Amino acid sequence: MTVAAVILFSRHEGALADAAGRSAARREVENAWAGGATPIVVVAVDPEGAIAETLAGSSAILAEPAPIEKGPVGQIVRGITVALERVTETDAALVWPGRSVWVDAETVTTLIEAHGFHREAVLRPRYGGEAGWPVLIPIKSLPAFAALAADRMPDALIDELVASGAAQVFIDTGDPGTTHDIGTPFDQLPAYEAPPEPVGGAAPEWGAAAAEMPDDTPLGGPSLAPYGQASDESD
């Protein structure tokens, strides 16, 4: 079971924003990897190469965005398509807005584990009764998702995907980072709570070594995926 992470930035400044001592893009890539997501795609325009620089040594694929007129749905589809080009066996993707910098690696693991029990469902984390991000979308739902209107914002896209017939399951993760974005300073986040109940079976240990690494330890990339050019690697 392979679940990608697709991390999306509408502006390159957002990817480079400080997130408790690391760039937003770097923090999210490392937590996605530590939680077990692979491949990890960062969709962002990078006119001066600063995002590539902040991701140097990581496992991320830096993907040029789709044309702006394709809207949020086009950017999400772009990221998922790059993930599928890199790992053809990918069967779901975590759609991760770049502002969601405080998502914990354990939440990534929880959503991936839950996908094993709800293979056809859209999975959405929840904290304090509020729906959050990242949202797991099965690859089987990609055609229906790609058909949604370009003027819809991400929350509306998920609602419309569900309205079109996709099942949705909410997962209580106990993670305030799923609902509080970079607008909330790290030291002002509500308390993290362990998930109220396991989603089933023993928790996997994907990326456990990364969780134990110091913040300045490199991982191993990034590679680049220009728009309109398929990746030349596959697993």
Side-chain angles (χ1 to χ4, degrees), residues 84-105:
L84 285 166
E85 290 168 352
R86 182 56 57 94
V87 181
T88 57
E89 294 82 5
T90 299
D91 59 10
L94 291 165
V95 176
W96 193 321
R99 290 186 57 84
S100 299
V101 297
W102 309 130
V103 175
D104 193 85

Side-chain angles (χ1 to χ4, degrees), residues 30-31 33-34 105 205-217 219:
E30 290 183 353
N31 281 355
W33 190 78
E205 298 181 355
W206 304 304
E212 298 173 358
M213 295 185 343
D215 289 350
D216 58 355
T217 301
L219 300 179

Side-chain angles (χ1 to χ4, degrees), residues 159-228:
D159 290 344
E160 291 188 15
L161 178 62
V162 172
S164 73
Q168 179 172 232
V169 175
F170 288 98
I171 306 295
D172 291 308
T173 64
D175 180 6
T178 61
T179 57
H180 293 72
D181 64 19
I182 198 169
T184 301
F186 183 73
D187 60 3
Q188 294 180 25
L189 286 173
Y192 182 93
E193 304 170 1
E197 57 184 20
V199 295
E205 298 181 355
W206 304 304
E212 298 173 358
M213 295 185 343
D215 289 350
D216 58 355
T217 301
L219 300 179
S223 56
L224 304 177
Y227 185 73

Side-chain angles (χ1 to χ4, degrees), residues 94-95 97 107 111 114 121-127 130-137 154-160 162 167-173 178-179:
L94 291 165
V95 176
T107 293
L111 290 170
V122 173
L123 303 182
R124 190 153 197 187
R126 187 166 53 187
Y127 178 82
E130 181 181 352
W133 294 88
V135 175
L136 185 147
I137 298 178
D155 281 297
L157 289 171
I158 299 303
D159 290 344
E160 291 188 15
V162 172
Q168 179 172 232
V169 175
F170 288 98
I171 306 295
D172 291 308
T173 64
T178 61
T179 57

